[in-house]
Structures are given as structure tokens and as C-alpha cells.
Amino acid sequence: MELIGREEEKQTIIELYKSNESSFLAIYGRRRVGKTFLVRKTLSDKITFSYSGKANINKRTQLNSFRLTLIENGLHDCPILKDWFEAFFYLKKIIQESIVQKKVIFLDEVAWMDNQKSDFISALEGFWNEWASKRNDILLIICASATSWIIDNVFHNRGGLHNRITHRLRINPFNLSECEEYSKVANLAYSRYQILQLYMAIGGVAWYWSLLKKGYSVIQNLILLFFSEDAPLNGEYKELYSSLFRKPEKYIDIIKALSIKISGLDKQELSAECKISNNSKLTHMLEELEECGFIRKYIPFGKKHNSMRYQLTDCLSLFHLTFLSKTRGDLSPEMLLASNSYVVWCGLAYERVVLNHIHQVKKALGINGIYTQAYTWRSNPSEDNKAQIDLLIDRADSVINLVEVKWSVDGKKYVITKEVEENLLNKKDTFVSQTKTRKSVFITMITLSGIERNSHSDCVTTSLTLDDLFN
């Protein structure tokens, strides 16, 4: 499979490889997102030494595995390694014997090398600070799926690695356009509507897309991935959080709480719901979840910084919590995915897809170069007119886009009825009245195939479609 997208990330790696000085690059991102694939495809045969940490083994076994890799790379007289200091000492020999101009050292899944009572971090510090950084011919790349580990031990390191990382690279899941490109390369023959349906369930994680079976419909593939015997993604939800966080239970509690309310929760509400003290520990956990791309934070329109709210944006988590974590009685997977529950979920999932594609929405609106902030808004509960707006785009050019996201079965054009028109105008009027905004407020609809023009559709200023999210 060829490398899909990742042009900016690939260019960063190439520039570091061509640099006239040594560089220390940390690559991180959620499990299965394609971190290792990116490095190997970009540098291919230019890697001098590569080792991937092994999961759930002790220090002695890990060091022996590292030693065997040293031997495979030509260091035939390498003795039994007592600690990681020795391991990096012999790694230096591999580098010193290399005749290539730039020596690329790729240490993958480094969190698994740092097991209990390990001296791995100290040895890595010594290797870089005292030796590699003083040369001009080394590109050291470390990679980890355990985001909490790399944030705590590398980015926030207060010892020898403090501010020593020269570059960091977060690998995000594919967007819709990149999923479409993958679909074409894999010859899946899916329409954009079908790609969206899959994206809403599995997001843009490359490995998940590699599991799709050519010639299967969307529903067939969802059954294959989640409901069949030995379904490859049936246990992925728990494994995903376990791979990212050393103690995943409270992180999962946060995700569950956020899955219930699309507008999100603030720290105080999360603290009460998840029984986690509202302190720096909760703040740190939320930062980690945001860094992994599971949630986004925002300040509700007109509120101060201490009113920060958090929203779930991860597609796989929402699908799992909707269809796999609850007892569904005698409903077969086929019946479940044709039920009204599935249609309701599609509406919620499509809203999250839009939140993940704000950049594309801005481009479609022609405001790429204008500073904006994305908000949600809820009217004052004491007022007679109540309204909730799930997405506001507040623009520096004195305009606010009041965005309404609507799903329609089979991708048909959305019909604005008299009731829908009254609801949209009520939201706009209530928002203007309660916020006292002096900006122009444009009602913006994001549907699948546009809106059906009729006597009630003139209330909509701008209409975007699914195609706009693929830009």
C-alpha cells in the first residue's frame, strides 16, 4: 500500500534527514493511526538501526530482544546486556561503524521499553545529550502510541530530556478526503455517502480501513468488523485506551460521560459524573485525551475561560458506546443497523464529523484567511424562548455562522418544513436577543445533498453539502 496523505509530516521528516545537524524527533498518535508506516515509507532503506519495543515483557527479555537486533545489524560480538546504558553503548558502535552520511535511529513503541524499574529514560538522555546531539549526522526518531507516556516522560520531562526534543510530530487520523483516497487505492469502490457512513463508525484510522473487505457493502463491513465471530474491532475500544494510558479506567469514564451529551460537559460536571476530583489531575487527563484527538475543548459563546467545556469527537468510541456496550435483546446486527436507533446515531455522528472538519467548512464558506472561533451556545434557561446551537462560527469580519447539521436517510436533499423554518428563526432571534451581538448572523445548513428549495428555505443564508467536507 502506498502512503496516503501525510504530505506535511513526510516533508518534516525529509527536511530533518537532509539537515546538516543532528535532530531528535518524537512522533506520537493513537494506536493504529500509521506512525510506523509513515516513517518506514518516508525513509525506507535509509534507516541505520530500528527497534520496536515489545509489549508485556520484563526488562531482561526486552534487553535480550534489543541485543538480537544489534546482532542482526552486524554487531556479532555483542554480549548479554545488563541495562539500557549498555544497550545504548553498543548502539553507538553500530552508528560509528556506519558509512552512510546520515544515520537514522528509529526506536518504535518506546513506552514498552520503559517498564518497571527501567533505566531506559536515563540511558536515552545520556545517549542524546552526551553523545548524539554533539554530532551532526544523526536523526533519532522515537515513536509511541502510549500518548500519556510520551507527554509525561518526554515532552514534560524535568530531567535531562527537558527541552531536548528538537521536533515533535502528532499523527492524526485521516480526514474524509484522505479516506476517499485510501478507498480508491484499495479499490473499495465506495461513494462519498458510503465513505461517510464508514467514517462515522471507525473514523480515519488507517488500520481500521485496511480491514474493510472489497465487494462488501457498508453494513456488511460493519457487521464483519464489529459483530461477527472473531470480529477484529469488537475489543478495540478497550484495547485502544489501554494502549494509550497506563491506567485507562478513568479515561474511559470521561469518554462515557461525554458520549451522552453532544454539547459536552465542563470540568465540574465531569468531576461529579466520573467521581474524579476537580483538580490538576483531571485537567491533565483531559489534556491527554485532547492530544490524542478523542475530545475537543471550547469556551461557550459569551463565557469566560473558566467555563471551558469538552466534547467527544472520536467516532469509534461513539459507535462502540451506542451499539456494542449495551444489551440489545434479540436484535440481530442486521436489524440493529436498520433500526431507528441507527438513524438517530447517524445524526449525532454526522455532527461530530462536521466538528472534525471545521477547516473544510471554513474553506467552503470562503473564510479560510479569516480568524474564527468555534462555539456552542445554549439560551438562558430562565427565558421563555429556549434554544440550543451546536455550532457557531464566530468570525473576525463581523459575521457569525449559526450552523445547523442535518442528516437525511439515503443522502436525499433535506426538506425545510414550516416547523423547521420556525425553529431556525427562533434560534437566531433568541441568540441575537440574549447575546446582544452586533454581528450579522447567517443561518448555515450542512446537509448531505443540499436543501430542497421551497417557500421555507429562504431563511438559510448558506447551504453546504457532504462534498464540501471532502475538500
Side-chain angles (χ1 to χ4, degrees), residues 14-189:
I14 291 173
E15 287 175 0
L16 293 178
Y17 177 77
K18 293 180 177 179
S19 172
N20 293 325
E21 56 187 29
S22 290
S23 302
F24 190 170
L25 171 64
I27 300 178
Y28 64 111
R30 65 186 289 169
R31 159 184 160 102
R32 315 286 202 186
V33 80
K35 303 179 297 295
T36 304
F37 189 74
L38 168 66
V39 174
R40 296 199 176 280
K41 277 293 184 178
T42 302
L43 296 175
S44 58
D45 58 348
K46 297 179 179 65
I47 298 175
T48 306
F49 178 84
S50 174
Y51 178 75
S52 181
K54 308 300 184 291
N56 303 318
I57 61 175
N58 59 32
K59 176 181 174 181
R60 180 179 178 181
T61 309
Q62 194 82 250
L63 283 168
N64 188 55
S65 177
F66 191 86
R67 172 179 175 267
L68 293 176
T69 306
L70 290 169
I71 292 172
E72 288 174 355
N73 279 266
L75 198 66
H76 302 298
D77 59 345
C78 184
I80 300 297
L81 302 173
K82 296 193 298 290
D83 53 39
W84 281 107
F85 290 97
E86 276 198 356
F88 279 103
F89 173 81
Y90 286 104
L91 176 57
K92 292 177 190 176
K93 288 198 169 190
I94 292 281
I95 295 171
Q96 289 167 333
E97 293 174 4
S98 173
I99 60 173
V100 298
Q101 185 174 359
K102 197 60 166 276
K103 288 81 173 174
V104 179
I105 309 302
F106 180 35
L107 302 179
D108 199 7
E109 297 298 357
V110 286
W112 289 336
M113 302 181 212
D114 185 36
N115 40 23
Q116 193 173 15
K117 296 182 180 179
S118 170
D119 47 18
F120 175 77
I121 285 292
S122 298
L124 178 64
E125 290 174 0
F127 171 76
W128 175 254
N129 294 341
E130 299 167 17
W131 192 77
S133 64
K134 297 177 181 178
R135 299 169 63 101
N136 61 6
D137 61 346
I138 293 176
L139 172 53
L140 172 61
I141 302 175
I142 64 170
C143 189
S145 296
T147 304
S148 62
W149 182 93
I150 205 165
I151 290 173
D152 292 340
N153 293 280
V154 181
F155 299 156
H156 295 165
N157 185 283
R158 295 305 174 203
L161 281 182
H162 180 60
N163 287 335
R164 293 293 184 168
I165 300 291
T166 59
H167 295 81
R168 62 173 72 180
L169 201 57
R170 183 173 79 176
I171 307 303
N172 294 311
F174 289 153
N175 58 32
L176 282 170
S177 177
E178 290 163 333
C179 289
E180 182 178 43
E181 187 179 349
Y182 185 98
S183 179
K184 289 177 181 176
V185 171
N187 199 25
L188 295 174

Side-chain angles (χ1 to χ4, degrees), residues 306-322:
N306 57 7
S307 302
M308 188 79 70
R309 296 181 74 82
Y310 299 85
Q311 279 179 304
L312 173 63
T313 55
D314 183 60
C315 298
L316 179 80
S317 297
L318 181 63
F319 185 85
H320 173 91
L321 292 168
T322 304

Side-chain angles (χ1 to χ4, degrees), residues 248-264:
E249 293 78 16
K250 287 299 180 182
Y251 294 89
I252 292 175
D253 288 342
I254 292 172
I255 294 297
K256 285 180 180 177
L258 291 178
S259 71
I260 298 170
K261 201 162 189 180
I262 188 167
S263 61

